[in-house]
Amino acid sequence: MGPPWWHGAVLYQLYVRSWRDTNDDGYGDVRGIIERLDHLSWLGVDGIWLSPTMPSPDADWGYDVSDYTGVHPELGTLADLDELITQAGQRGMRVLLDLVPNHTSSAHPWFIDAASSPDSAHRDYYVWADPGPDGGPPNNWLDFTGRPAWQWHESGQYYLHNFLAVQPDLNWWQPAVHAAFRDILEFWFNRGVAGFRVDVAHGLYKDAELRDNPPLAGDKPENPLEGRFGQRPVYNANRPETHGVYRDWRKIADSYAPPRLLLGETWVAEPERLAAYYGDNDELQLAFNFPFALAEFDAPRLAKIVEQTLAALPPGACPVWMSSNHDIGRFPSRWCDGDERKVRLALLVLTTLPGTTVLYYGDEIGMTDVDVPPALRQDTATLDNDAHGNRDRARTPMPWDASAGGGFSAPGVTPWLPLADPPGANVADQRADADSILWLCRRLVALRRAELSGGIDPKTDFEHLPAREGQWAYRVGSLVVAANFSGQPAGIPPAAGEVLLTTSGPAASQRVLGPWEGVVARLAT
């Protein structure tokens, strides 16, 4: 049968509300995705992951779901989504949806019923508990803002919310919840959806005894992957029972031809814990590597994370690499401080590592974070929460051209979030410039498809090569990648033969890397 389609693939995360507005309401929509599919086809991506498209009150912009089998009316209809899947398929691209199984909206019919009475049919769909001995919350768990993760309800108990109070956590100890999500998966798979990015994939089950989380150890700065607000999330996340859910879902995904993809949002620090979500290649097929994405743009640190990840994954497993998303911000800002040389180098690394690459919309033009003033922010969950950051900075409209509205909406329409002021990079100008970041990204994606898709085994077809301080060199398949993470010139390793591509321009016979420059070459024979 050959390797699955996502081995060596490039996936593209598309934030629907910020992609293209076709009905002049200031919000992107599904019709806008269809309208600009040719951009993604030209870029060469293999699959599109859509930010939440399901109906929602939008307290957390779709991550508070009120209906798992519909489309948000502001974004379009089921017919629009069906057409998108068909149109993308005609261009050789697959469509993944965002699935939120850890919690629902408090406006979901399940929770409305659950909150109506302690004896209601859906009460046990959610995590309810009596007050603690002091009359307060049942334990010390905190939500993602650092506030107590328990909300008192007039029905006489607290309910759990690891995120906002309007996002009550589901109770995965309840078999009916499992049955409901099996039906949800099959509903979308039967409509042609190629898979899901699974939100809070490390969540789901909570400790049955609701034990207090232990404190963070030591005096080192808090790492969001290890814990926050002085606690380690031992009992409200990463519970062992969660793996059974993914073994169950994997059987469903594998029952389709071709198999459907489960891509997990796995906020874990240790490579062994990340690898656990692959199971024995019978759980998630892909799990996001947040230590890589959140690391500094530093050759030794990134190389070490790659090495540790590949060593931990089970044989045949496929790693996945990304550096930008809707929560953590854009790598051209966080990694590169807007330096175009560094942006080009980062794209070279992202697209030449073995496994699956995920680009965030705008990565291909080096789009940076936008300074969204508080008065214009839409992510109200973070307005008074400095620890979590301003997530709107990475969710602003895609700049398609240099016009006042960036080609996102019709002239005179105010977009839901502001564009950069002054304007930054845009697609049209870079498409017209063969030396632009956009063209470099396209060439990298084409090279990846030609050389690294399918048969590359991340464990046996990848190795680090000797490199001087400030450099990173590795062999992947029959290619050699050399990246200079310094402001000084550097040599190309002896293993590099014919140079196929450089981050600074056309391939040349050069044997010296400029500052923050990278090359891809044939392995010397």
Side-chain angles (χ1 to χ4, degrees):
M1 296 293 293
W5 67 267
W6 53 84
H7 280 233
V10 174
L11 304 181
Y12 188 98
Q13 181 189 358
L14 191 155
Y15 202 83
V16 180
R17 290 181 180 273
S18 290
W19 180 255
R20 175 76 175 94
D21 169 25
T22 61
N23 61 359
D24 300 336
D25 64 355
Y27 295 98
D29 44 56
V30 177
R31 302 301 309 178
I33 304 172
I34 296 171
E35 184 180 287
R36 296 299 170 97
L37 277 175
D38 286 343
H39 169 71
L40 299 174
S41 178
W42 177 86
L43 187 60
V45 304
D46 301 283
I48 311 163
W49 151 32
L50 306 182
S51 63
T53 52
M54 298 171 188
S56 164
D58 292 328
D60 193 16
W61 296 108
Y63 289 102
D64 49 326
V65 179
S66 57
D67 176 5
Y68 283 101
T69 56
V71 172
H72 197 305
E74 289 184 356
L75 303 181
T77 65
L78 272 172
D80 292 333
L81 191 57
D82 289 341
E83 182 180 346
L84 170 60
I85 292 169
T86 298
Q87 294 270 1
Q90 291 171 356
R91 294 166 173 79
M93 296 181 290
R94 295 168 168 86
V95 175
L96 282 72
L97 300 185
D98 220 316
L99 182 65
V100 186
N102 181 74
H103 50 267
T104 72
S105 167
S106 57
H108 194 290
W110 295 344
F111 189 78
I112 292 173
D113 179 64
S116 67
S117 165
D119 300 321
S120 65
H122 293 88
R123 184 73 169 191
D124 289 341
Y125 274 47
Y126 296 88
V127 181
W128 297 87
D130 295 328
D134 61 355
N139 62 26
N140 72 345
W141 297 354
L142 301 175
D143 68 17
F144 88 129
T145 71
R147 301 177 177 92
W150 295 94
Q151 178 68 37
W152 176 254
H153 192 267
E154 60 185 10
S155 61
Q157 287 182 304
Y158 284 92
Y159 67 82
L160 177 68
H161 60 90
N162 272 297
F163 294 89
L164 301 178
V166 293
Q167 293 171 290
D169 278 46
L170 287 162
N171 175 20
W172 280 88
W173 293 99
Q174 169 58 252
V177 173
H178 290 253
F181 273 87
R182 284 193 289 268
D183 290 344
I184 291 165
L185 262 64
E186 291 174 351
F187 174 86
W188 289 111
F189 289 164
N190 290 338
R191 297 192 83 93
V193 168
F196 292 105
R197 176 265 188 183
V198 183
D199 186 60
V200 196
H202 58 292
L204 308 194
Y205 273 89
K206 313 304 185 295
D207 179 50
E209 301 176 31
L210 302 182
R211 286 171 283 185
D212 280 355
N213 277 330
L216 281 169
D219 297 326
K220 63 180 180 180
E222 291 190 359
N223 180 338
L225 297 171
E226 297 174 352
R228 303 189 73 174
F229 312 114
Q231 290 186 9
R232 293 171 53 219
V234 171
Y235 293 115
N236 64 332
N238 280 309
R239 303 306 297 162
E241 295 83 4
T242 300
H243 295 281
V245 176
Y246 299 131
R247 286 192 292 270
D248 185 21
W249 289 9
R250 179 66 175 270
K251 292 174 184 176
I252 298 172
D254 284 349
S255 71
Y256 287 81
R260 304 312 196 234
L261 173 61
L262 301 173
L263 165 59
E265 182 198 23
T266 41
W267 280 83
V268 295
E270 308 87 353
E272 295 77 16
R273 180 164 282 180
L274 177 70
Y277 283 96
Y278 289 81
D280 293 322
N281 285 312
D282 60 352
E283 295 186 32
L284 302 175
Q285 295 104 325
L286 297 176
F288 275 126
N289 191 315
F290 281 95
F292 179 89
L294 296 177
E296 294 182 4
F297 194 50
D298 171 80
R301 181 60 184 149
L302 293 175
K304 183 178 180 180
I305 293 171
V306 170
E307 181 179 14
Q308 292 174 334
T309 300
L310 297 183
L313 292 182
C318 184
V320 56
W321 314 102
M322 62 90 178
S323 55
S324 304
N325 76 13
H326 61 292
D327 283 331
I328 66 174
R330 297 184 174 279
F331 83 78
S333 292
R334 195 184 66 258
W335 271 3
C336 307
D337 298 319
D339 186 327
E340 182 174 329
R341 300 171 304 169
K342 296 180 183 179
V343 172
R344 290 169 175 267
L345 188 66
L347 284 170
L348 178 138
V349 169
L350 279 171
T351 53
T352 57
L353 288 172
T356 301
T357 295
V358 178
L359 298 175
Y360 187 46
Y361 81 103
D363 280 355
E364 72 271 32
I365 59 172
M367 185 176 175
T368 54
D369 290 341
V370 174
D371 183 17
V372 180
L376 298 179
R377 290 185 192 173
Q378 300 287 347
D379 183 25
T380 56
T382 64
L383 274 177
D384 61 349
N385 181 25
D386 291 339
H388 198 76
N390 166 21
R391 297 184 298 183
D392 284 333
R393 70 190 189 281
R395 301 178 178 186
T396 56
M398 183 74 162
W400 292 103
D401 57 41
S403 65
F408 169 72
S409 292
V413 175
T414 301
W416 79 297
L417 284 171
L419 284 88
D421 184 20
N426 70 76
V427 174
D429 286 352
Q430 291 204 16
R431 181 73 179 262
D433 178 4
D435 294 326
S436 66
I437 296 175
L438 176 59
W439 272 92
L440 171 66
C441 188
R442 183 176 190 253
R443 293 181 186 113
L444 285 165
V445 171
L447 183 62
R448 179 180 183 84
R449 174 172 287 181
E451 302 287 345
L452 304 180
S453 62
I456 294 294
D457 185 324
K459 284 186 174 288
T460 61
D461 293 327
F462 179 88
E463 62 177 329
H464 285 106
L465 300 174
R468 294 181 178 179
E469 183 178 356
Q471 299 176 48
W472 187 9
Y474 49 87
R475 177 189 67 83
V476 54
S478 61
L479 300 180
V480 170
V481 177
N484 182 12
F485 282 68
S486 78
Q488 303 298 321
I492 294 178
E498 176 194 2
V499 173
L500 302 176
L501 179 150
T502 77
T503 58
S504 59
S509 58
Q510 66 188 71
R511 306 306 296 177
V512 176
L513 291 174
W516 301 101
E517 185 180 17
V519 303
V520 182
R522 292 278 180 209
L523 182 66
T525 57

